[in-house]
Amino acid sequence: MTLGFYPGCSLKGSSREYAESVLAVAEAFDIHLEEIKDWNCCGATAAHNMNKELSLALPARILSLAEKQGLTELVVPCAACYSRLTVTKHELSENPALKAVVTEANDLAYTGSVNVLNIVQMLDKYIIPNLEGKVVKPFDHKVACYYGCLLVRPHEILKFDREEDPQSMDALMLKAGATPIDWAFKTECCGAGLSVSRTSSVGRLSGKIMGDAKDRGAEAIIVACPMCHSNLDMRRDAINSYLGEKVDIPVLYITQAIGLAIGLDRKTLGLQRHFVKVSV
Amino acid sequence: MSSDSHHSGISGLGGEVLGHTDVKVSHCYQCGKCSAGCPLSEEMDYPPSVIMRMLQTGNPDLEDKVLRSLSIWVCLTCEMCFSRCPMSIDIPKMMDFLREKSLNEKKSDPKAKEIIAFHKSFLDSIKYTGRLYEIGLFVDYKARTLKILDDLALAPKMMKRGKLNIIPELIKDRSGVASIFRKANKKNKN
Amino acid sequence: MSKIGVFVCHCGENISSTVDCEKVAATVGKYDGVAFSVDYKYMCSDPGQSIIKNAIAEKGLTGVVVAACSPRMHEPTFRKVCAEAGLNPYMCEMANLREHCSWVHEKGEATTEKAIDLVRILVEKVKYNQSLNSIKVPVTKTALVIGGGIAGIQASLDIANTGHKVILIEKDPSIGGHMSQLSETFPTLDCSQCILTPRMVEVAQHPNITLYTYAELESLEGFIGNFKAKIRKKSKSLDEKLCTGCGLCTTKCPTKKIPSEFNEGLGNRTAIYVPFPQAVPNKPVIDRIHCTYYTKGKCKICEKVCPTGAIRFDQEDQIVEVEVGAIVVATGFAVKRPDFFPEYGYGKYADVITGLQFERLASASGPTLGEIRRPSDGKIPEKIVFLACAGSRDPAKGIPYCSKICCMYIAKHAMLYQHKVHSGKSYVFYMDIRAGGKMYEEFVRRAIEDDGVNYIRGRVSKIYEKNGKLIVSGVDTLLNAMPVEIEADMVVLATAGVANEGAEELAQKLHISYDPYKFFAEAHPKLKPVETNTGGIFLAGSCQAPRDIPESVAMASGAAVKVAGLFSQDELTREPIIAVVNRQAAPVYSSCVGCFLCVSACPYQAIEKEEIKNRTGDLIKSIAKVNPGLCQGCGTCVAFCRTKSIDIQGYTHEQMYSEVMALLNEY
């Protein structure tokens, strides 16, 4: 089976292990992820902070290219890209005038027919039904599933899981043999776009998240967003200095955890690329 | 909601917010739930509910302070405020508009210099290559902010783990992306 | 030749601000058959009424058109004016210039033109009006009261004390309602049970009151003065006559872990149970959903231990039919379960409870015997947080309205807590303090000033548990939205008051209307607060909107007076707006051909067959006949009649055509 695939910039660079694990898990289930040809950046936080039209035109180009390529379902592992693509689809369907402006800027046909899936939806729809027989090494750890902001909010537009105490990742991890813990910071913000420009804020916000996970005995944090990952993993020094102690809980993409459970090797899943050693 | 605006007669910045985002500042009854849930509230000069109140007054001095505030730039658009607002006010959407307006009117808070520089470097990167070029972004950002020493240790570590591309990923239709930028920017200045 | 008088009312400025009333009067005054036409500021006032009366006398008017507000508002007023002036009241019609014209259009020529049209069609109609006489119907002087909370109790007692019979039905095993669950009551802090239970006993012992507990309304037919109600008495699995209320069965029942409704789930009850010790009647019922005998087919311990042999496992529901003349609906409200507040963790954290649960903790009859102990571990909370508007004033969660009672009970809760736990600290997060009411504001001030309750203006964003504490994160909006984080031991949510589950179905059974929140609708928000739009059915208490005890009681007494007023007459006059089958001279007798489609169409079973016989008793013709006592004037039969043999009096085919033609014909 073939599904459309939009990796986004992070997955080609600082979060390439996310792409590696997504592709490896898909392959293990005979799913071919077909990358959109000549895709561009979605514009991320910068675009919608600075220029509304740009923030819609960039994702619209991506969706148009997917349409052109004949893709009906598009897997978007990065939560930020997923959010931008979904918001764009919503805004353009609600506002025909805006759609005209944006498609004019793009010079590409756009109908809004592509179905955008985040990684949890993709796993739930295509992997989980066949997972049971494939688990060879259950991910037998206490895990804190961390959803962040952009996977679940705003619910009015994304219509995915629930905004408070979401459960979809917990349910997946349970099936992979993990014990998801009940904790309080599932959807608190990690600091995301301020990672470089205001690292101290990220230390505080991600520190609170890490602190609660630690207090409740999490052995790993499971994420589905490259920004959440880079803040919780690469910014661990800032986190530790906020917490005043050294916390070495590893942060895994959900596809890495599932990959381990089905016996894929650590290197294929890119675990060696993490800043905080993946000891689980 | 746009038909509302016809009768509401809201002038000033609140009226502009309504026109551009459908957010009606009068819907806010100042419960403060947004500020209570906002992860950046304590770093803001005016927490979200206070921004709403300032806009409600219609006082030009206060509206000017909103555009010059640090709040609008430290807002992360995490959507927590919108998700919990009992009146379903789309504050993040409003913040996007306020930021854009603040930039256009050259009123952005100097304390937000790094945040804005990062956004600009980010957009410049994709403007020329179509995709984000992380090394380019860092270099450009450092050039803009002169924060040469920050995060200097990070790059080699990332490099070692294969997390940085030396060469940017160039898309073929770079002129197409550049044209999107041109059109969007032109529109903005009008 | 008709001599019609037209009276155009300005309704203060309600009509005249958009309609040129003078022009309306002047234009209509020129029409054929209009003998008099005038406009006036308040036609319903005494001088306005005199204008009509004088014109009838001086001009010898044969018909009157009052162009003013809705006939719902003032048709009875103006018909009475006509009658007093010697004109048959049904020769008076009202053109609704307010709701149908001035309120819904902007000022302008077209608006005035529409007003003229509205008057003109009624001028043409009234030319065909005929004198009618009102219909007399008997009154059944027994009232049905639905709901045995404080409102239903008060209404029952008040009606019964006027000497009339009352049938009170209550869906639960005991009367008492929410008030029986409360601890102390604001603003006097007198004990709820102490003032309520004597009333409950009075109800049980009153010779004029028949009490059916564990009973619900099955169906209702009829109309004011003449209702027929079917009541379903749910099976209690008990012979109430034999039961002495000794309570042995409830102590021996092995199924003991059922969350008690009376204690809001903070305590348990058995499968055969009396909801609370002061229940009226103080006799048990078997909860068949939880009883081992009904679920597993064996046990019957209660039957074995019952000294009088009162248990009846095979008892079935019983339908009782009663005839009543008036109904008081007092079905109360429900407390919205705050499950829809996942950010506050209700249902997840045992120590996040509702206001009603706090009442049970504070009540001497509650699971902790009145000591404030938290549900999770029974500890006395040292820090307690109360959240106002947990659901109310929250359109995002579906409840835009203010539940009205919460501000006061929160102040009371915090006060009771401070009185019982002297070293404790209490906090109230609020948006506004709504304390309108006698001694209410003073009561809240007392909580703040004398009892040291900390009021913080702001809505809480999130509650989560950490190291055994509930972290409550909010802000103080009076301090530039400064973050406030309280490590609490217990949190009480002032959840919204909402309509009862099933309110909609009940309203449909009763043919009364309800608002978007499913609270029952009063006939007029100011002047008819206890009436419904259905004659003979009245409202009391929180089924109409969230109400506190004094308001519920006042409403109940108001409804009772309305019932007593109705019962003070032996006969009721009803409007003669009913269907009639035409009758003609022999040999036709009637244009009715006896197809009797109307009989099957009539929702009120008001049409019967009439046999027309000759002198020797031979059947000449069968035709339809309308029973004026049963007909509600809905007009369904008129639409069904293929030979146009049925007319609604006051709305005949002739009258309707004349209205339509008046509009179609250029004048």
Side-chain angles (χ1 to χ4, degrees):
Chain A
M1 189 183 47
T2 299
L3 295 171
F5 182 47
Y6 175 71
C9 306
S10 298
L11 274 77
K12 289 285 176 180
S14 54
S15 304
R16 65 177 67 235
E17 71 270 29
Y18 192 12
E20 289 162 350
S21 62
V22 169
L23 291 166
V25 168
E27 197 191 325
F29 288 85
D30 291 327
I31 294 167
H32 171 60
L33 293 179
E34 182 184 327
E35 197 168 313
I36 298 175
K37 294 187 186 75
D38 210 36
W39 56 265
N40 55 281
C41 170
C42 72
T45 312
H48 75 83
N49 268 358
M50 312 280 278
N51 186 319
K52 181 175 181 178
E53 192 183 323
L54 193 60
S55 75
L56 299 172
L58 291 169
R61 180 175 184 275
I62 299 161
L63 292 166
S64 296
L65 291 175
E67 283 179 26
K68 203 168 133 191
Q69 208 166 315
L71 303 170
T72 52
E73 232 169 6
L74 191 61
V75 178
V76 184
C78 168
C81 300
Y82 160 72
S83 161
R84 292 321 306 164
L85 292 181
T86 312
V87 167
T88 299
K89 268 186 74 174
H90 174 82
E91 291 258 334
L92 298 190
S93 74
E94 294 276 295
N95 191 337
L98 204 57
K99 184 178 158 187
V101 171
V102 166
T103 45
E104 198 260 12
N106 259 332
D107 223 8
L108 274 170
Y110 171 87
T111 64
S113 61
V114 178
N115 187 23
V116 177
L117 292 182
N118 64 40
I119 196 67
V120 182
Q121 288 167 322
M122 183 274 206
L123 292 171
D124 196 42
K125 192 167 173 184
Y126 296 109
I127 304 293
I128 294 305
N130 305 317
L131 182 67
E132 211 179 334
K134 290 221 172 197
V135 174
V136 292
K137 208 179 141 199
F139 195 78
D140 190 11
H141 302 285
K142 282 176 80 176
V143 298
C145 291
Y146 174 59
Y147 296 72
C149 314
L150 299 173
L151 206 55
V152 290
R153 285 193 297 265
H155 183 75
E156 285 77 358
I157 294 175
L158 305 180
K159 298 189 171 62
F160 170 67
D161 208 328
R162 52 185 207 189
E163 289 174 306
E164 307 286 347
D165 195 13
Q167 295 294 334
S168 54
M169 283 170 73
D170 297 63
L172 296 189
M173 287 311 297
L174 198 63
K175 296 227 165 93
T179 308
I181 60 163
D182 178 30
W183 63 310
F185 283 73
K186 279 182 173 180
T187 60
E188 297 291 325
C189 182
C190 66
L194 297 180
S195 186
V196 174
S197 54
R198 215 173 155 88
T199 313
S200 60
S201 304
V202 172
R204 180 173 69 86
L205 298 178
S206 292
K208 283 185 176 178
I209 294 162
M210 190 59 67
D212 194 56
K214 184 197 72 106
D215 289 349
R216 292 169 202 262
E219 291 158 17
I221 294 176
I222 306 296
V223 299
C225 168
M227 289 200 293
C228 300
H229 191 275
S230 64
N231 281 338
L232 291 172
D233 183 56
M234 289 183 359
R235 296 293 177 192
R236 188 59 64 94
D237 289 346
I239 290 169
N240 286 345
S241 82
Y242 171 82
L243 292 174
E245 61 176 316
K246 191 166 178 292
V247 178
D248 55 6
I249 302 172
V251 184
L252 278 80
Y253 289 105
I254 190 163
T255 39
Q256 292 178 316
I258 288 175
L260 287 174
I262 59 172
L264 299 180
D265 80 61
R266 300 172 75 89
K267 201 154 183 187
T268 309
L269 297 168
L271 292 174
Q272 76 284 3
R273 299 188 192 277
H274 290 198
F275 277 44
V276 178
K277 191 164 176 272
V278 182
S279 45
V280 291
Chain B
M1 211 182 271
S2 43
S3 61
D4 265 4
S5 64
H6 173 66
H7 293 286
S8 62
I10 304 171
S11 57
L13 192 50
E16 278 185 65
V17 167
L18 177 62
H20 285 85
T21 66
D22 272 0
V23 168
K24 208 170 173 188
V25 292
S26 62
H27 280 190
C28 173
Y29 55 29
Q30 288 294 309
C31 71
K33 199 176 181 185
C34 51
S35 299
C38 176
L40 269 308
S41 181
E42 57 191 86
E43 296 182 30
M44 290 178 171
D45 36 7
Y46 312 107
S49 58
V50 180
I51 295 267
M52 293 303 294
R53 181 69 202 128
M54 290 162 86
L55 294 177
Q56 283 176 339
T57 63
N59 178 329
D61 293 343
L62 293 176
E63 290 176 352
D64 194 60
K65 282 187 179 166
V66 167
L67 294 177
R68 293 182 190 282
S69 68
L70 178 64
S71 300
I72 60 177
W73 294 106
V74 295
C75 162
L76 274 163
T77 338
C78 77
E79 309 269 353
M80 189 67 96
C81 49
F82 181 32
S83 128
R84 291 195 182 143
C85 175
M87 301 300 287
S88 305
I89 300 172
D90 195 340
I91 302 176
K93 202 171 179 183
M94 182 189 79
M95 288 294 192
D96 275 348
F97 169 74
L98 294 174
R99 281 186 281 261
E100 200 171 327
K101 188 171 170 68
S102 164
L103 268 189
N104 285 344
E105 297 184 4
K106 303 201 170 14
K107 287 183 176 170
S108 53
D109 184 346
K111 289 196 287 300
K113 189 178 153 213
E114 287 86 11
I115 298 172
I116 297 168
F118 182 80
H119 293 327
K120 282 189 173 158
S121 303
F122 189 101
L123 290 181
D124 274 357
S125 170
I126 50 177
K127 183 169 161 187
Y128 299 120
T129 60
R131 293 183 191 168
L132 179 65
Y133 173 42
E134 285 164 324
I135 291 183
L137 165 65
F138 283 122
V139 172
D140 191 62
Y141 170 71
K142 285 178 186 305
R144 283 178 199 266
T145 57
L146 299 176
K147 297 224 161 186
I148 311 291
L149 295 176
D150 284 20
D151 280 339
L152 212 54
L154 205 60
K157 280 192 198 166
M158 289 175 74
M159 198 81 83
K160 192 177 130 205
R161 289 168 171 80
K163 280 173 172 271
L164 280 181
N165 292 329
I166 313 281
I167 303 165
E169 293 213 358
L170 297 177
I171 71 167
K172 288 188 198 121
D173 186 20
R174 291 199 292 283
S175 63
V177 170
S179 135
I180 294 177
F181 272 85
R182 236 181 359 261
K183 286 174 184 165
N185 281 335
K186 203 163 101 199
K187 194 101 191 298
N188 230 16
K189 300 231 161 71
N190 288 344
Chain C
M1 180 68 193
S2 307
K3 284 188 187 170
I4 294 159
V6 176
F7 302 88
V8 183
C9 178
H10 294 204
C11 195
E13 285 188 342
N14 276 299
I15 296 172
S16 61
S17 64
T18 56
V19 170
D20 183 346
C21 294
E22 243 175 89
K23 186 178 171 190
V24 174
T27 311
V28 177
K30 292 179 198 140
Y31 292 160
D32 281 351
V34 176
F36 182 78
S37 181
V38 70
D39 61 295
Y40 184 67
K41 209 171 194 63
Y42 294 106
M43 208 57 86
C44 58
S45 68
D46 192 45
Q49 295 189 16
S50 298
I51 294 174
I52 300 175
K53 281 184 201 166
N54 292 340
I56 292 171
E58 285 165 18
K59 307 282 176 185
L61 299 181
T62 59
V64 163
V65 175
V66 183
C69 55
S70 163
R72 284 203 79 92
M73 183 84 190
H74 272 316
E75 194 175 71
T77 313
F78 292 117
R79 288 202 160 151
K80 194 162 154 269
V81 169
C82 291
E84 282 166 8
L87 187 66
N88 182 286
Y90 296 97
M91 301 306 289
C92 170
E93 294 285 347
M94 280 190 80
N96 187 349
L97 295 197
R98 196 178 69 178
E99 283 84 340
H100 289 178
C101 191
S102 69
W103 274 357
V104 291
H105 300 301
E106 296 187 354
K107 187 178 176 143
E109 287 270 317
T111 305
T112 301
E113 285 303 315
K114 178 175 172 180
I116 291 169
D117 281 346
L118 289 174
V119 179
R120 193 175 67 202
I121 59 178
L122 284 169
V123 167
E124 293 307 317
K125 181 190 181 190
V126 86
K127 288 179 184 171
Y128 294 95
N129 276 24
Q130 284 171 351
S131 295
L132 299 172
N133 294 314
S134 44
I135 301 169
K136 305 270 188 214
V137 285
V139 179
T140 308
K141 296 185 180 181
T142 299
L144 174 67
V145 176
I146 307 174
I150 183 58
I153 289 172
Q154 183 72 32
S156 298
L157 288 172
D158 284 351
I159 297 167
N161 286 338
T162 64
H164 296 297
K165 297 286 182 195
V166 175
I167 297 163
L168 171 61
I169 62 173
E170 163 58 50
K171 71 175 186 335
D172 288 337
S174 169
I175 56 171
H178 282 308
M179 187 173 168
S180 65
Q181 295 177 282
L182 306 184
S183 51
E184 271 77 34
T185 54
F186 59 79
T188 47
L189 292 189
D190 40 1
C191 151
S192 187
Q193 291 249 352
C194 313
I195 55 180
L196 176 68
T197 46
R199 293 280 172 103
M200 291 162 61
V201 175
E202 210 182 324
V203 164
Q205 294 175 346
H206 205 293
N208 283 344
I209 299 178
T210 307
L211 175 61
Y212 295 129
T213 51
Y214 221 44
E216 291 181 55
L217 182 73
E218 182 80 3
S219 66
L220 183 76
E221 285 169 17
F223 53 91
I224 181 168
N226 298 273
F227 294 106
K228 282 197 180 80
K230 281 186 185 161
I231 297 164
R232 175 178 293 273
K233 288 178 70 188
K234 293 178 283 188
S235 169
K236 297 180 174 179
S237 312
L238 183 81
D239 186 331
E240 287 178 88
K241 289 198 187 81
L242 293 180
C243 174
T244 59
C246 71
L248 203 54
C249 53
T250 61
T251 57
K252 300 291 182 195
C253 177
T255 312
K256 295 185 191 297
K257 289 279 167 83
I258 305 162
S260 152
E261 294 84 356
F262 181 73
N263 281 326
E264 291 292 315
L266 293 180
N268 293 326
R269 65 162 169 85
T270 44
I272 183 164
Y273 73 110
V274 178
F276 54 104
Q278 299 76 25
V280 168
N282 207 330
K283 291 179 181 178
V285 300
I286 296 182
D287 164 7
R288 293 188 175 185
I289 291 169
H290 293 100
C291 167
T292 318
Y293 172 69
Y294 287 103
T295 52
K296 302 213 175 82
K298 53 186 173 190
C299 180
K300 290 197 175 185
I301 289 175
C302 49
E303 188 181 44
K304 284 180 206 106
V305 300
C306 178
T308 60
I311 305 294
R312 294 284 177 273
F313 288 110
D314 55 356
Q315 192 179 59
E316 288 178 2
D317 288 4
Q318 207 187 329
I319 303 288
V320 184
E321 281 192 48
V322 295
E323 295 193 355
V324 295
I327 298 168
V328 177
V329 187
T331 47
F333 71 111
V335 171
K336 175 100 180 162
R337 294 282 154 218
D339 316 24
F340 66 137
F341 262 119
E343 65 264 47
Y344 293 164
Y346 179 88
K348 189 167 164 184
Y349 306 129
D351 297 328
V352 177
I353 63 170
T354 67
L356 203 48
Q357 288 177 315
F358 187 86
E359 293 285 352
R360 296 312 303 143
L361 292 182
S363 167
S365 71
T368 56
L369 304 174
E371 282 192 46
I372 311 291
R373 291 183 176 279
R374 64 183 200 174
S376 64
D377 54 8
K379 275 195 193 138
I380 294 175
E382 284 158 25
K383 263 190 197 173
I384 185 166
V385 173
F386 297 91
L387 303 194
C389 300
S392 311
R393 301 177 68 195
D394 196 333
K397 309 267 189 201
I399 302 177
Y401 59 82
C402 164
S403 291
K404 200 176 181 187
I405 55 176
C406 325
C407 284
M408 291 308 296
Y409 78 61
I410 284 180
K412 178 193 75 181
H413 287 172
M415 202 183 256
L416 290 177
Y417 169 76
Q418 292 294 1
H419 292 177
K420 293 185 181 206
V421 186
H422 296 295
S423 60
K425 270 192 172 309
S426 60
Y427 301 85
V428 172
F429 281 94
Y430 72 100
M431 293 206 291
D432 298 288
I433 302 173
R434 297 188 169 171
K438 193 166 174 171
M439 299 303 285
Y440 282 16
E441 174 64 14
E442 296 92 320
F443 183 77
V444 175
R445 292 313 307 170
R446 229 173 86 202
I448 297 170
E449 293 166 16
D450 299 347
D451 295 309
V453 180
N454 294 293
Y455 270 67
I456 302 166
R457 194 194 174 283
R459 206 170 184 140
V460 165
S461 174
K462 182 177 174 180
I463 297 169
Y464 64 96
E465 199 189 351
K466 196 170 183 183
N467 305 328
K469 296 279 183 187
L470 292 163
I471 313 296
V472 181
S473 346
V475 292
D476 190 330
T477 60
L478 302 180
L479 285 174
N480 198 35
M482 182 184 83
V484 177
E485 207 167 84
I486 294 168
E487 294 187 2
D489 299 303
M490 188 159 106
V491 176
V492 183
L493 305 178
T495 46
V498 293
N500 265 320
E501 212 174 301
E504 213 171 346
E505 292 76 37
L506 181 61
Q508 282 158 5
K509 275 182 199 168
L510 294 166
H511 299 289
I512 60 174
S513 34
Y514 48 91
D515 67 20
Y517 313 118
K518 311 212 166 61
F519 287 115
F520 301 141
E522 65 280 13
H524 188 280
K526 287 134 210 165
L527 300 179
K528 291 182 176 177
V530 301
E531 291 95 325
T532 65
N533 277 332
T534 304
I537 303 186
F538 305 98
L539 302 175
S542 292
C543 62
Q544 181 252 2
R547 302 244 167 250
D548 62 16
I549 296 168
E551 285 176 332
S552 297
V553 170
M555 254 186 112
S557 291
V561 167
K562 295 288 171 187
V563 172
L566 185 60
F567 289 177
S568 68
Q569 310 157 68
D570 292 324
E571 282 186 325
L572 285 179
T573 14
R574 272 186 58 216
E575 292 234 318
I577 312 300
I578 56 163
V580 284
V581 180
N582 70 30
R583 294 301 294 267
Q584 299 166 13
V588 182
Y589 298 102
S590 168
S591 63
C592 171
V593 296
C595 72
F596 301 114
L597 262 182
C598 54
V599 174
S600 52
C602 176
Y604 302 99
Q605 287 88 45
I607 306 182
E608 49 209 46
K609 286 184 191 175
E610 182 185 18
E611 296 185 335
I612 297 174
K613 291 175 180 169
N614 65 13
R615 281 183 199 156
T616 54
D618 302 328
L619 179 67
I620 300 172
K621 194 174 182 182
S622 281
I623 63 167
K625 187 187 174 192
V626 178
N627 179 336
L630 296 175
C631 176
Q632 298 295 299
C634 72
T636 309
C637 55
V638 178
F640 269 82
C641 180
R642 295 187 285 198
T643 56
K644 291 198 178 71
S645 302
I646 314 184
D647 260 325
I648 297 285
Q649 295 192 124
Y651 296 89
T652 62
H653 286 95
E654 212 175 20
Q655 287 173 306
M656 294 298 104
Y657 288 139
S658 66
E659 287 195 35
V660 175
M661 295 315 286
L663 268 186
L664 295 178
N665 292 339
E666 287 289 326
Y667 201 80

